[in-house]
Amino acid sequence: MRAIVCEQYGPPEDLVLRELPDPTPGPGTLVVRVRAAAVNFPDVLLIDGKYQLKIPAPFTPGSELAGDVIAVGDGVPFAPGDRVVGTSFVGGFAEQALVPAAAVSAIPDGIDYAAAAGFGVTYRTAYHALRSVAQVAEGDWVVVLGAAGGVGLAAVDLAVAMGAKVLAVASSPEKLEVCRQRGAAATVDYDREDLKARIREITGDGAQAVLDPVGGSYAEPALRSLARGGRFITLGYAAGSIPAIPLNLVMLKGITVQGMEIRTFATDFPAENERDLAELQQLFAEGKVSPYIGARFPLAQTATALRYVADRKAVGKVIIDV
């Protein structure tokens, strides 16, 4: 099979396309003929050795995939030919992937491979953050930073479906137009407008929640725009720097600041995770939410796709067609 290989930590341009042996399933695992794989910002960090966990090189990156089951091990509740979507910390950017059966689910009827591959990680992250962490209610103003990115646009989609009023924040008129098309009630261009002033102007007394997958210099003005008792959820640092938050603001306004990491959420909050996944799957199967796919690349151009995400050019999800 063909696979993308990270032979040593470095930028996307160092990745290579190799011929590797086909994987063989063992107990509790299955092999998927990958049809589509999604690119996520952590993939960029992982190949550069900058993620929280380090995978020894060489390895094949890619954590989110969809395709057809071609082989199963003992105790696996799937059969060859089943259409499935799955997650695996690595291995997705390849023609075949070995995946634990516990990390695989059936693709709902009527959903194509690209949409299935692009749904899981970003939508789970956004829904857990909105539903379980920020506890967003109908009518709340929700500010989404980096709103045109994978997690950001998923958050826009889901918050609208939950009945919230979304203020989408992004870095260009083109990105903000996509956010409006996805249901954002208002938008702010944080490269051209005063973020804090515009959020307060639009929301009146301030927002009830901020979702921040960006970090950097945008976090503090967004925090200052929260209403009394608001919730600030930190999800990542795509801007490249981790912000320092003045704790006096948290004290004076009774703000809650909380982090959410998709990798550990299920372990830390099993009941909430089970509830959220069931609700999210129903929304997806009913067509009420679906990922916006902004760009697609063939497997041989995976490095270009990762560079596209690393440089914050992506709108919505970036898909690798395998």
Side-chain angles (χ1 to χ4, degrees):
M1 69 167 186
R2 296 184 307 153
I4 297 297
V5 179
C6 174
E7 296 184 331
Q8 59 185 10
Y9 294 141
E13 291 75 18
D14 288 351
L15 296 172
V16 293
L17 183 64
R18 297 290 192 217
E19 283 285 343
L20 299 180
D22 293 348
T24 302
T29 65
L30 50 81
V31 177
V32 176
R33 170 58 177 97
V34 180
R35 303 297 181 184
V39 180
N40 293 292
F41 188 73
D43 297 326
V44 176
L45 300 178
L46 198 64
I47 64 172
D48 205 17
K50 294 180 179 178
Y51 194 65
Q52 293 97 318
L53 298 178
K54 286 184 170 56
I55 301 296
F59 65 90
T60 292
S63 61
E64 198 170 19
L65 58 95
D68 306 303
V69 176
I70 57 175
V72 299
D74 292 339
V76 172
F78 293 95
D82 287 347
R83 298 172 69 245
V84 296
V85 59
T87 57
S88 181
F89 200 53
V90 294
F93 299 152
E95 291 179 328
Q96 297 181 28
L98 181 67
V99 188
V104 169
S105 60
I107 298 175
D109 292 341
I111 304 296
D112 66 23
Y113 294 115
F119 184 76
V121 172
T122 53
Y123 273 77
R124 288 202 310 271
T125 300
Y127 197 64
H128 291 325
L130 291 164
R131 176 77 162 90
S132 292
V133 184
Q135 299 180 15
V136 168
E138 185 175 353
D140 281 355
W141 271 108
V142 177
V143 175
V144 180
L145 303 184
V151 171
L153 209 50
V156 171
D157 203 17
L158 288 166
V160 169
M162 295 168 69
K165 295 176 290 188
V166 176
L167 195 164
V169 183
S171 59
S172 74
E174 295 77 17
K175 290 181 177 181
L176 293 174
E177 176 58 28
V178 173
C179 295
R180 285 190 289 270
Q181 293 172 5
R182 303 291 282 188
T187 59
V188 174
D189 186 331
Y190 48 28
D191 283 347
R192 295 168 176 82
E193 301 179 82
D194 183 314
L195 182 57
K196 174 191 169 186
R198 287 290 289 134
I199 294 174
R200 294 305 296 256
E201 177 186 342
I202 291 166
T203 63
D205 291 334
Q208 281 69 50
V210 170
L211 265 64
D212 180 15
V214 179
S217 61
Y218 308 115
E220 184 175 332
L223 178 77
R224 288 179 180 273
S225 75
L226 279 167
R228 175 168 293 280
R231 287 88 68 194
F232 184 98
I233 314 303
T234 178
L235 299 172
Y237 311 102
S241 61
I242 299 173
I245 297 298
L247 289 179
N248 62 312
L249 298 177
V250 176
M251 178 188 71
L252 292 172
K253 299 179 71 173
I255 291 168
T256 298
V257 178
Q258 190 166 346
M260 204 291 293
E261 186 191 24
I262 188 65
R263 185 176 57 87
T264 57
F265 185 84
T267 302
D268 294 341
F269 305 99
E272 291 87 345
N273 179 70
E274 184 176 353
R275 178 201 63 196
D276 290 358
L277 291 182
E279 294 174 354
L280 188 58
Q281 189 68 11
Q282 183 173 352
L283 287 170
F284 187 41
E286 292 175 352
K288 294 180 179 178
V289 296
S290 183
Y292 178 90
I293 297 172
R296 302 175 77 147
F297 297 84
L299 182 65
Q301 294 181 19
T302 297
T304 304
L306 284 161
R307 172 53 62 195
Y308 194 71
V309 171
D311 290 347
R312 298 175 62 193
K313 294 180 179 178
V315 177
K317 292 298 295 187
V318 173
I319 297 295
I320 304 297
D321 292 307
V322 183

